[in-house]
Amino acid sequence: MPDMTLRIVVLTSFLGGYQVAADWAARHGHEIVLVVSPPVEAGQRYDGNPLVLGLPASANILITSKLRTVAASVIATVAPDLVISAAFPRLIPAEILDIPKYGAINCHPSALPIGRGPNPARLIYEGDDQVAVTVHRTAAEFDTGAILAQRTRPLPDDLNGPALFKVWQEMLGECLDFAVPRAVAGEPGLWQNLAEATEAPFFTSAEMLVNLTEPAHVVRRKVAALNVVAPQARAEIPGVGLREVVATYGVPVSGGKTRAQVLAGWPDERCTHKAGTVLERHADGWTVQTADRPLRLVCREKAERRKAPVR
């Protein structure tokens, strides 16, 4: 791609989605001329925080649910070279897709056509051992456009929700480095194979309740997948009740070790308890026996209280 400054419009409902596009644009000297997001009351955001609270004061922000009329008119006024969407929960109409000089592309955290839909973390929840992302041309239906770039990596060693999200952000930035020049050059991309397509719907309430009698690596993977965007994982702790859990082993502790390393050194007899038994209570959570080994869980409420600033 020739050295040029692109005018970018970002469509997103989630601060993390904006950051993917903003970090990439900053690295390459491109300008985000407008951010479009649905209203908070629409109940379509990926978390509970208004997007505008995390945007720079200099950002031009349009909050609207009227894409064909209001959004399309404003986007046409700023004359973008490219539209980038990330975590945008609405179909983008032709009235918008036809405006940018080099078209519209979407950032999606799965290896499309696998994992179409609003919840690609489901793939990891269900057993995928890789993190994947795709940047594709935006089409009339969700996540169906031609692929411009795709990347995969193994799951992070310290597996938790924030770590997964960080890997997604890094990989999407890498994909944008490759995909945007292709879009500018007019390359069509690789069409998705419909026969390979799978869907990734939101988690149900039952799926958010983690079964502590499963093997430790399964519990750990599910908790991480549930907590990628916002804490959703819950566990029934014996003698305590239902609690939201935000981390499993792999969280740093004193001495430069991790809880995974600490637990791995426990005597074998500590692993003979019935699955689901609380082996030890901590200030911020519990160590629980799973189907095959002890697992350290952190209570969301206690972890957040511990990190709260002193007033």
Side-chain angles (χ1 to χ4, degrees):
M1 180 176 69
D3 187 15
M4 66 173 73
T5 298
L6 297 176
R7 294 170 59 81
I8 309 292
V9 168
V10 176
L11 274 62
T12 187
S13 66
F14 175 46
L15 182 59
Y18 167 79
Q19 290 171 332
V20 168
D23 291 348
W24 169 82
R27 288 202 313 272
H28 295 279
H30 301 310
E31 180 186 5
I32 295 179
V33 295
L34 181 67
V35 179
V36 180
S37 186
V40 174
E41 60 269 23
Q44 295 175 314
R45 293 198 183 280
Y46 282 70
D47 63 7
N49 299 313
L51 176 72
V52 293
L53 294 183
L55 295 185
S58 59
N60 297 317
I61 308 161
L62 175 63
I63 307 294
T64 183
S65 60
K66 299 178 179 179
L67 300 183
R68 287 186 169 84
T69 53
V70 176
S73 298
V74 177
I75 291 172
T77 300
V78 300
D81 295 306
L82 188 69
V83 164
I84 298 176
S85 57
F88 191 70
R90 298 279 303 279
L91 290 174
I92 303 173
E95 288 85 346
I96 291 176
L97 298 180
D98 293 341
I99 293 172
K101 182 177 181 180
Y102 301 115
I105 59 177
N106 181 59
C107 300
H108 187 77
S110 80
L112 292 174
I114 298 170
R116 290 175 174 175
N119 186 27
R122 173 175 290 281
L123 302 178
I124 295 168
Y125 180 97
E126 293 178 350
D128 200 336
D129 61 358
Q130 290 187 321
V131 188
V133 300
T134 303
V135 174
H136 62 94
R137 290 193 175 276
T138 308
E141 299 297 328
F142 284 121
D143 307 324
T144 58
I147 295 170
L148 294 171
Q150 198 167 80
R151 297 286 186 276
T152 60
R153 287 186 196 173
L155 293 176
D157 292 335
D158 189 5
L159 183 57
N160 57 65
L164 282 174
F165 185 73
K166 181 179 179 182
V167 172
W168 270 345
Q169 285 187 305
E170 292 173 353
M171 294 171 67
L172 284 170
E174 294 170 5
C175 277
L176 285 171
D177 287 342
F178 186 72
V180 173
R182 296 191 68 188
V184 170
E187 296 184 30
L190 179 65
W191 288 106
Q192 298 183 36
N193 184 350
L194 183 60
E196 298 176 354
T198 63
E199 298 296 323
F202 288 118
F203 295 117
T204 66
S205 296
E207 288 172 323
M208 294 179 193
L209 182 59
V210 179
N211 182 359
L212 297 180
T213 66
E214 292 187 299
H217 74 278
V218 174
V219 177
R220 185 187 186 207
R221 190 188 69 240
K222 287 185 175 181
V223 169
L226 286 165
N227 293 342
V228 169
V229 172
Q232 299 182 99
R234 297 172 298 149
E236 186 74 37
I237 307 297
V240 178
L242 193 64
R243 292 292 184 273
E244 290 185 325
V245 238
V246 297
T248 58
Y249 61 84
V251 180
V253 294
S254 61
K257 295 182 178 181
T258 68
R259 287 174 179 151
Q261 293 168 328
V262 172
L263 294 179
W266 279 23
D268 289 342
E269 59 266 22
R270 300 298 291 273
C271 299
T272 61
H273 293 79
K274 180 181 177 181
T277 302
V278 175
L279 302 179
E280 188 174 345
R281 299 179 187 274
H282 309 278
D284 61 353
W286 316 268
T287 296
V288 179
Q289 175 65 43
T290 66
D292 59 350
R293 55 157 292 175
L295 186 64
R296 179 76 157 85
L297 300 177
V298 175
C299 176
R300 174 191 177 191
E301 179 183 354
K302 293 179 180 180
E304 290 180 348
R305 186 183 304 153
R306 185 186 60 206
K307 292 187 292 185
V310 177
R311 297 185 184 277

